[in-house]
Amino acid sequence: MFGFVGQHQYFGSDQRGGVGEFYMIQEEDWDRDLLLDPAWEKQQRKTFTAWCNSHLRKAGTQIENIEEDFRNGLKLMLLLEVISGERLPKPDKGKMRFHKIANVNKALDFICSKGVKLVSIGAEEIVDGNVKMTLGMIWTIILRFAIQDISVEETSAKEGLLLWCQRKTAPYRNVNVQNFHISWKDGLALCALIHRHRPDLIDYSKLRKDDPIGNLNTAFEVAEKFLDIPKMLDAEDIVNTPKPDEKAIMTYVSCFYHAFAGAEQAETAANRICKVLAVNQENEKLMEEYEKLASELLEWIRRTIPWLENRVAEQTMRAMQQKLEDFRDYRRVHKPPRVQEKCQLEINFNTLQTKLRLSNRPAFMPSEGKMVSDIANAWKGLEQVEKGYEEWLLTEIRRLERLDHLAEKFKQKCSLHESWTSGKEELLSQKDYESASLMEIRALMRKHEAFESDLAAHQDRVEQIAAIAQELNELDYHDAATVNARCQGICDQWDSLGTLTQKRRDALERVEKLWETIDQLYLEFAKRAAPFNNWMDGAMEDLQDMFIVHSIEEIQSLITAHDQFKATLPEADKERMAIMGIQNEIMKIAQTYGIKLAGVNPYTNLSPQDISNKWEAVKQLVPLRDQMLQEEVARQQANERLRRQFAAQANIIGPWIQTKMEEIGHVSVDIAGSLEEQMNNLKTYEQNIINYKSNIDKLEGDHQLIQEALIFDNKHTNYTMEHVRVGWEQLLTTIARTINEVENQILTRDAKGISQEQLNEFRASFNHFDRKRNGMMDPDDFRACLISMGYDLVSNGEVEFARIMTLVDPNNTGVVTFQAFIDFMTRETAETDTAEQVMASFKILASDKVRAAARCSLLAIGVSTIVAEMFPLSPPAALHHGGGAAPRAAPGAGRVLHQPHDQVHRRRRRPPPGPWTTSPSPARCTARAIYKPVLVLSSPPPVPPVPPPDFFTPPSSSSSSSHHKLKGFLLSL
């Protein structure tokens, strides 16, 4: 890289435009940072050094360091002398600085004398070894002496070199030369330039665009080895530089231009000389052709005129007609090409004279006697003789016509007869019936009968020929011998035809009888071969049929069927032998009587070879079928072992899972024992289930073997692996869910204060209405459970039941689980005052009178259970009331509130029907205290006075404070 601020700093203008303007071009699109790139300077140093050495080696020297070797100016002046071909002033021999500056100034003055004005480049910078100035000076020399003279279609220098590169590389793929930097990075452009001028040096089709270093090195090596262009660039520098140095590329490419431009100029000069030589050779060839054609034409005329002048007449019309025919051949065949030659001769002569005149050559003078006028005179004489010969021929033919009329008639009749008999002897002598079929024999017989009729019809013509021949002998015809010989030949031929006709009839009749016998045998062969062939086709199809079986029984049935088929093979072989015997009989008859069979049975397309081939195929397929069946037996036996192995385990695991499911279900619904005991039992079950996992894994392994063997059914068990997996997953899910439910019950019990007895009561009620025993109640079963527990679902029941269902089934699944039921009953119970609390209040606050008044009040509002607990009656009164609202007892009598045992027990198992967050209905109030045992008082209390009316009026369903009124009343007591 020069380190230029811009090219205009170094190159001036010579006031004449042209070259100077080129040097002053400012490449404003170049980036200043790129111009100062050290990579460019490296490329220029290498390229300019190689370019200088390519010229200096002509003088027997070279440079190593471009800024050092030019400092004394000696090699610089030598370089200019070599590239310009001119002598520079004698250099100073001293080694002082001023000597070096003087030598460099002489070189710079020489450059300026060539129309290049140097700016800012002085001899001192070159002597001091300024790299940038030295490179700038060398680039100026390259532009002036290597690039300036390039001219392509009115463009010069850089544009001309670029246009030359574009023209030369245009036909090549992946090459698009637009500049002297990035367009050359992949190396294809350089290879294309070399291939365009020397295709023998590079195989362009093998180059790849993705291998730029390989392409560049190939171009550098070929150019250095074969084109004498030194390597001025490094492939790695070009590829690894974003924008290669333009000056280095231009310098290197200009070497290709000069190398190939000289070859093109030499080729153009050679072509020009060859063109002149070709024109001269063509003219000489035309002269030779003229001389040759003229000689041949004159010689033909000389030989033809004596033939036309011969007037010797022939004795026969045939001979004269032959002369006429020869003359006609002359006119049609021989003369037209000569006319064409005469015309072509004149055309060649005129063309040759024109070319010679255009080439400023002297006119052509043919040899003596071969002028165009000489040839025209000879042709005119030929045509005159030709006209006289034609007239003489016509006259002689008319004269002989009268004499030869009778002979012509004889010949005509003989010709007709001979034409008719032509080939008849060969036809009658041929033995075509030996290779004909029966239908063809019969056709030949009919044809022979027609020939016999035609032979009899031609008898008259033979007699006419003999009469004409006798007449010609009587008239002493000059060629009577020929006529007699011809007539005798016709008569002898006629006798021979009669003999041959009779012999052919006898032979046809004999062969016809033999063919009728063969035809019957053919027919029998066809009738028996067709069904046998169909049997073999079916057998081959069955033997090759692919079978798919899934059990031992199925493969045994196939083996049985195959054994039955093999049992029929001896009978089939007998039938085959019988069919082949028919064919042998046909062959025997044909060989005995010399009959050539056509080889095709007219009644069938089956041949004996077809029967034999298929039979052999059947025999070969039988053992193959045996092998396939035995292999399948072995496979099915292995499959059966796998089925039994799987079934043995599945039949154990399946019932075990089912049993465990039932045991877990019993544990979950069992009301005996505490929740902790149930939890321990479930944990034990869970550990046993986990320990059983190895059996499931083993069954999975057997199932994988079954799948790999493509076994799809197993009659030894009703359990599939999918059933076992589902059952196992359900078992794991059930034990986990059951343990979770028990844990939740324990948490609920501990959090809500529910006793174990109450939880048992809840479970008993749930189990009673869980009709399907699946741990869930349908909505109808849940409704019945609520009604049995005292819920009033008759009036406004649907709305109330829907509200309860939203609590126990928020996801609208359509079932009520035990856990949801427990949660619901827990909320109902937890928010209700227990009977013990109420009794404790009565005992603390009430006296005997108060207890009597409270009992009457409670009976008036329908709280019979609380009355029974707190103020029991004597046994007769209890029996009388039967658990309903008791009327007031007689004073002084003890009362026992008694209910039937089953009714009490049933009510104990009923959980409260709903939450107590809202004011309960009378039915709810009645049902709240039904879980406590019946109390028996030792003595009946006195009858209390009637309380105020508002406390004894039973609460309506619309009253939202009935429960609170009851509590207030009890507290007031």
Side-chain angles (χ1 to χ4, degrees), residues 318-575:
R318 179 182 294 274
M320 293 306 297
Q321 287 179 344
Q322 184 61 43
K323 281 184 175 290
L324 180 60
E325 187 64 25
D326 293 341
F327 180 73
R328 290 173 179 173
D329 288 343
Y330 159 77
R331 296 288 294 271
R332 293 194 304 265
V333 178
H334 301 289
K335 186 179 179 181
R338 300 301 176 179
V339 174
Q340 183 66 27
E341 289 178 3
K342 176 177 175 295
C343 180
Q344 186 64 37
L345 190 68
E346 295 174 356
I347 292 173
N348 290 349
F349 182 80
N350 296 332
T351 301
L352 178 59
Q353 298 293 34
T354 301
K355 289 185 176 181
L356 292 173
R357 184 174 65 254
L358 294 176
S359 301
N360 297 322
R361 300 291 298 279
F364 170 64
M365 292 298 294
S367 304
E368 185 178 358
K370 296 180 181 180
M371 297 292 292
V372 175
S373 58
D374 297 334
I375 296 173
N377 292 332
W379 190 265
K380 184 177 180 181
L382 175 66
E383 289 183 341
Q384 290 175 356
V385 175
E386 178 184 320
K387 183 178 180 182
Y389 185 74
E390 183 178 12
E391 293 174 353
W392 173 77
L393 282 176
L394 294 176
T395 301
E396 284 297 317
I397 288 174
R398 283 192 295 269
R399 184 181 66 84
L400 292 174
E401 186 177 7
R402 296 175 59 189
L403 297 175
D404 291 342
H405 175 69
L406 186 60
E408 185 63 28
K409 186 176 181 180
F410 173 79
K411 294 176 182 178
Q412 182 181 9
K413 288 186 176 293
C414 290
S415 298
L416 291 173
H417 179 75
E418 291 171 352
S419 176
W420 181 83
T421 59
S422 176
K424 293 297 188 293
E425 291 181 342
E426 291 79 3
L427 182 63
L428 293 172
S429 300
Q430 67 183 359
K431 297 182 179 181
D432 52 351
Y433 48 80
E434 292 182 353
S435 60
S437 63
L438 177 60
M439 298 301 296
E440 293 172 344
I441 292 295
R442 290 172 178 171
L444 290 175
M445 194 67 184
R446 304 290 88 78
K447 184 178 180 181
H448 187 69
E449 291 173 355
F451 174 76
E452 290 178 336
S453 299
D454 196 14
L455 183 66
H458 282 76
Q459 180 68 33
D460 293 340
R461 180 179 294 168
V462 175
E463 294 175 355
Q464 291 175 6
I465 291 172
I468 293 173
Q470 184 177 359
E471 186 176 358
L472 287 173
N473 283 309
E474 292 174 355
L475 295 175
D476 195 16
Y477 180 60
H478 67 88
D479 197 14
T482 302
V483 172
N484 292 334
R486 192 172 186 183
C487 181
Q488 185 63 40
I490 289 174
C491 293
D492 294 342
Q493 185 186 32
W494 186 257
D495 295 336
S496 177
L497 287 175
T499 303
L500 292 174
T501 300
Q502 185 59 38
K503 288 182 178 181
R504 184 173 177 80
R505 166 175 279 278
D506 296 339
L508 287 173
E509 290 176 351
R510 177 178 58 83
V511 173
E512 182 181 12
K513 293 180 181 180
L514 292 174
W515 264 110
E516 288 176 352
T517 303
I518 293 174
D519 186 70
Q520 290 296 326
L521 294 174
Y522 271 146
L523 181 59
E524 184 178 359
F525 178 87
K527 289 181 178 179
R528 300 182 67 172
F532 186 70
N533 180 70
N534 292 337
W535 177 85
M536 288 193 295
D537 288 340
M540 292 175 65
E541 181 180 357
D542 293 340
L543 290 172
Q544 299 179 67
D545 185 26
M546 300 300 296
F547 54 83
I548 300 177
V549 296
H550 303 287
S551 65
I552 295 292
E553 293 76 8
E554 293 179 4
I555 190 62
Q556 288 296 341
S557 65
L558 290 179
I559 293 175
T560 301
H562 184 62
D563 293 339
Q564 294 174 355
F565 167 76
K566 289 192 294 184
T568 63
L569 291 179
E571 289 296 329
D573 191 37
K574 291 180 181 179
E575 178 65 15

Side-chain angles (χ1 to χ4, degrees), residues 219 284 478 519 584 724 746 809:
E284 291 178 359
H478 67 88
D519 186 70
N584 294 335
V724 174
I746 294 174
D809 185 19

Side-chain angles (χ1 to χ4, degrees), residues 792 916 918-926 928 955-957 959 962:
D792 184 8
W916 296 102
T918 58
S919 298
S921 63
R924 294 185 184 180
C925 295
T926 305
R928 284 181 179 177
S956 64
S957 60
S959 175
S962 58

Side-chain angles (χ1 to χ4, degrees), residues 479-715:
D479 197 14
T482 302
V483 172
N484 292 334
R486 192 172 186 183
C487 181
Q488 185 63 40
I490 289 174
C491 293
D492 294 342
Q493 185 186 32
W494 186 257
D495 295 336
S496 177
L497 287 175
T499 303
L500 292 174
T501 300
Q502 185 59 38
K503 288 182 178 181
R504 184 173 177 80
R505 166 175 279 278
D506 296 339
L508 287 173
E509 290 176 351
R510 177 178 58 83
V511 173
E512 182 181 12
K513 293 180 181 180
L514 292 174
W515 264 110
E516 288 176 352
T517 303
I518 293 174
D519 186 70
Q520 290 296 326
L521 294 174
Y522 271 146
L523 181 59
E524 184 178 359
F525 178 87
K527 289 181 178 179
R528 300 182 67 172
F532 186 70
N533 180 70
N534 292 337
W535 177 85
M536 288 193 295
D537 288 340
M540 292 175 65
E541 181 180 357
D542 293 340
L543 290 172
Q544 299 179 67
D545 185 26
M546 300 300 296
F547 54 83
I548 300 177
V549 296
H550 303 287
S551 65
I552 295 292
E553 293 76 8
E554 293 179 4
I555 190 62
Q556 288 296 341
S557 65
L558 290 179
I559 293 175
T560 301
H562 184 62
D563 293 339
Q564 294 174 355
F565 167 76
K566 289 192 294 184
T568 63
L569 291 179
E571 289 296 329
D573 191 37
K574 291 180 181 179
E575 178 65 15
R576 181 187 66 83
M577 296 299 295
I579 294 172
M580 299 305 293
I582 296 173
Q583 181 64 25
N584 294 335
E585 183 67 20
I586 294 173
M587 299 300 296
K588 182 178 179 181
I589 294 173
Q591 293 176 0
T592 302
Y593 296 98
I595 297 176
K596 296 180 181 180
L597 299 175
V600 178
N601 190 324
Y603 300 105
T604 180
N605 292 327
L606 293 173
S607 66
Q609 187 62 38
D610 296 337
I611 300 297
S612 299
N613 292 341
K614 286 189 178 181
W615 179 253
E616 292 299 325
V618 170
K619 291 197 299 182
Q620 293 176 3
L621 289 174
V622 169
L624 294 178
R625 185 71 170 185
D626 288 333
Q627 181 181 356
M628 292 175 60
L629 291 174
Q630 292 304 320
E631 292 175 355
E632 186 61 27
V633 167
R635 192 176 73 86
Q636 289 300 327
Q637 289 175 350
N639 292 350
E640 183 66 16
R641 288 193 295 271
L642 291 177
R643 289 191 184 95
R644 292 181 181 276
Q645 181 178 345
F646 178 84
Q649 296 186 66
N651 290 335
I652 295 174
I653 294 175
W656 184 87
I657 292 175
Q658 186 175 0
T659 301
K660 292 301 177 183
M661 289 286 290
E662 294 175 356
E663 292 176 356
I664 293 171
H666 290 319
V667 171
S668 64
V669 300
D670 191 5
I671 61 176
S674 64
L675 292 178
E676 286 75 6
E677 292 176 352
Q678 292 184 18
M679 176 63 70
N680 293 333
N681 293 336
L682 290 174
K683 291 291 185 179
T684 302
Y685 276 109
E686 184 182 28
Q687 186 60 40
N688 293 336
I689 291 170
I690 294 173
N691 295 336
Y692 202 77
K693 181 63 168 58
S694 61
N695 297 322
I696 303 297
D697 296 337
K698 183 178 180 182
L699 188 64
E700 285 283 2
D702 294 342
H703 178 65
Q704 182 176 357
L705 296 177
I706 286 179
Q707 286 185 326
E708 292 174 354
L710 301 179
I711 300 174
F712 303 104
D713 60 344
N714 193 339
K715 66 180 181 180

Side-chain angles (χ1 to χ4, degrees), residues 789-792 832 835 858-867 869 883-885 899 903 907 910-913 916 920-932 954-955 962-963 966:
M789 291 161 48
Y791 273 84
D792 184 8
T832 306
L858 292 175
L859 289 175
I861 62 174
V863 189
S864 60
T865 302
I866 297 178
V867 174
E869 295 175 352
Q899 296 178 350
Q903 184 176 0
R907 289 189 176 185
R910 295 175 186 171
W916 296 102
S921 63
R924 294 185 184 180
C925 295
T926 305
R928 284 181 179 177
I930 62 177
Y931 301 103
K932 295 305 177 180
S962 58
H963 179 64
L966 176 62

